[in-house]
Amino acid sequence: MKSPAEETASGNSSPLSGKFLEHATLGHLGALLILASWGFGGNAPWSRLAVAGWGSLGILLCLAGGLGRGREGRQRLVRWLWPFALFNLLVLASTLNPTMRALTLDGSVLFAKTGGHAHVPGSARPSLTLSALWLFDAMFLSCFNLAMFVRRRRFLRVFLLVVAVNALALAVFGTLQKLTRAPGLFFGLVPSPQQRFFASFIYHNHWGAFTLLMTALCLGLVAHYALRSPRGFWQSPAFVGLVAVFFLAASIPLSGSRSCTALVLVLFVGAFLHWVVHVLRRNAAQSRSRLRTLTAGCLALAVAVGLAYQLAEPVIEQRLATTREQLVVMRAQGGIGSRAVLYRDTWHMARDRLLFGWGMASYPSVFYIYNTQTSPADRLPVFYYDAHSDWLQSLAELGVIGTLLLGLHALIPLLSLRRRPRGLAAYLLAGCALVLLYAWVE
């Protein structure tokens, strides 16, 4: 079997050649990311269906490419995808053990707890579980193909540049939409179920998480080109990358996402310290040069922060006022308010089926049984579609075993790294870590 380099050199373009798999993977995944981001962030029924349908091509590509590359390809599939296989078996098994039964009352559909078999995987809504599993598999394997088949770093950097340009276009689009006070998505063409929408994303916190990762990507590209380009900073793509970083980062407070605003500041502090260390090492013998460079960098950062604040000042002031009001309520209640009750009720839901959970995508169907919060206006129950903590919701839906298998999807590839990630890879991993941290509270 030829190596990827040999296949490239020979110009082999057969359906399973390294060159074909690289091009097919990058083209397919790039289209998937653009579709998901512009399609309401994947947060609408039609966009989820479109993402799952297009992503299914990634499933076929993974199987055909992995199995068609002989023993080495099959070994790599087994080595990296055994948690994926076990996770799918667990979720599929849960659909054979329904834990809820649909009842029709006065034209409304209600769900009653039947329990099922308590010590084996179960699902409250098997049909929703299968749909969610299809979407998960399609997205995961489409992204997995990037690690499986792309060998040339130049191709990978071009792909990441395309992803960054798409994010920048969304940020500019969302900024213009926000500044013109559009009443809905796409400048009012599409009504939004959430008042705090941004760009094509229905919910501002979803935009915040997406943009936090994209900002980390752009900072990584800036660091890569700034440190490696022989033409210097101003003649390299690094300066254009900083412009993209500014618009992406400024769009987070403009959208009203408070948590992601704090997290992007953490990201900037880390990037700034990385730059300071680089300057001190590079100009170790030139104290005046170091001082000028550091002073210019600090001034540029201060100007950028000031401009971002001016751009988002009304939204920032509004969110600060809301935060102060919430803090007053929390002090009066002696806790963190309704969010603490939500987490407690979600934990009670998870505790009752701790090993395997209530089934993938089951949270909104089951949680109403455990929900103890009511509206102060009419004493009616407050409906929660999500737990506002991905970690707790995963525990409630998938149990301890399913959540561990889900974590191994990322941990296994990380453990296979032969050296410590640096440069662009380190920034990407930092962005992923911040999103995982954010998932504790959203």
Side-chain angles (χ1 to χ4, degrees), residues 214-239:
M214 293 298 103
T215 304
L217 163 60
C218 288
L219 283 171
L221 289 171
V222 168
H224 172 82
Y225 287 111
L227 300 181
R228 296 174 180 265
S229 177
R231 297 177 296 174
F233 178 82
W234 299 104
Q235 286 75 35
S236 73
F239 176 70

Side-chain angles (χ1 to χ4, degrees), residues 171-212:
V172 173
F173 169 74
T175 300
L176 294 175
Q177 187 174 253
K178 188 75 172 183
L179 294 179
T180 56
R181 299 184 179 182
L185 296 160
F186 294 95
F187 291 97
L189 294 177
V190 181
S192 175
Q194 284 282 349
Q195 182 182 2
R196 294 192 180 97
F197 59 90
F198 194 85
S200 59
F201 284 64
I202 291 175
Y203 193 40
H204 66 298
N205 282 336
H206 298 165
W207 168 258
F210 168 79
T211 312
L212 181 64

Side-chain angles (χ1 to χ4, degrees), residues 41-292:
N43 200 25
W46 72 263
S47 59
R48 284 194 292 269
L49 182 61
V51 168
W54 177 252
S56 297
L57 296 177
I59 300 176
L60 298 177
L61 188 64
C62 179
L63 293 175
L67 298 177
R69 302 188 73 176
R71 182 179 178 183
E72 180 186 356
R74 291 192 292 271
Q75 287 179 341
R76 199 170 193 188
L77 284 178
V78 172
R79 188 168 62 249
W80 280 15
L81 290 185
W82 65 264
F84 173 82
L86 291 179
F87 180 79
N88 271 260
L89 287 175
L90 185 149
V91 175
L92 289 174
S94 72
T95 63
L96 303 177
N97 180 31
T99 57
M100 304 284 285
R101 182 163 56 95
L103 301 173
T104 303
L105 181 64
D106 294 332
S108 301
V109 180
L110 303 176
F111 293 91
K113 184 167 65 171
T114 61
H117 299 284
H119 302 296
V120 297
S123 171
R125 303 283 300 278
S127 60
L128 293 183
T129 295
L130 290 174
S131 297
L133 182 64
W134 176 32
L135 179 63
F136 172 81
D137 287 354
M139 292 192 299
F140 176 78
L141 289 182
S142 295
C143 296
F144 173 79
N145 291 341
L146 201 66
M148 186 73 178
F149 302 128
V150 178
R151 292 289 178 269
R152 284 172 284 191
R153 294 184 180 182
R154 178 172 61 87
F155 280 17
L156 184 59
R157 284 195 295 271
V158 171
F159 169 77
L160 293 177
L161 283 170
V162 171
V163 173
V165 169
N166 176 67
L168 176 61
L170 276 166
V172 173
F173 169 74
T175 300
L176 294 175
Q177 187 174 253
K178 188 75 172 183
L179 294 179
T180 56
R181 299 184 179 182
L185 296 160
F186 294 95
F187 291 97
L189 294 177
V190 181
S192 175
Q194 284 282 349
Q195 182 182 2
R196 294 192 180 97
F197 59 90
F198 194 85
S200 59
F201 284 64
I202 291 175
Y203 193 40
H204 66 298
N205 282 336
H206 298 165
W207 168 258
F210 168 79
T211 312
L212 181 64
L213 190 56
M214 293 298 103
T215 304
L217 163 60
C218 288
L219 283 171
L221 289 171
V222 168
H224 172 82
Y225 287 111
L227 300 181
R228 296 174 180 265
S229 177
R231 297 177 296 174
F233 178 82
W234 299 104
Q235 286 75 35
S236 73
F239 176 70
V240 178
L242 281 182
V243 175
V245 167
F246 169 78
F247 280 104
L248 284 169
S251 72
I252 295 179
L254 186 62
S255 71
S257 180
R258 293 171 293 182
S259 300
C260 285
T261 299
L263 290 175
V264 81
L265 289 175
V266 172
L267 181 63
F268 276 137
V269 169
F272 183 76
L273 292 177
H274 177 224
W275 174 75
V276 169
V277 170
H278 170 71
V279 170
L280 294 178
R281 288 178 177 175
R282 186 186 62 179
N283 300 329
Q286 303 175 6
S287 57
R288 290 185 179 179
S289 176
R290 286 188 300 180
L291 182 60
R292 286 196 301 268

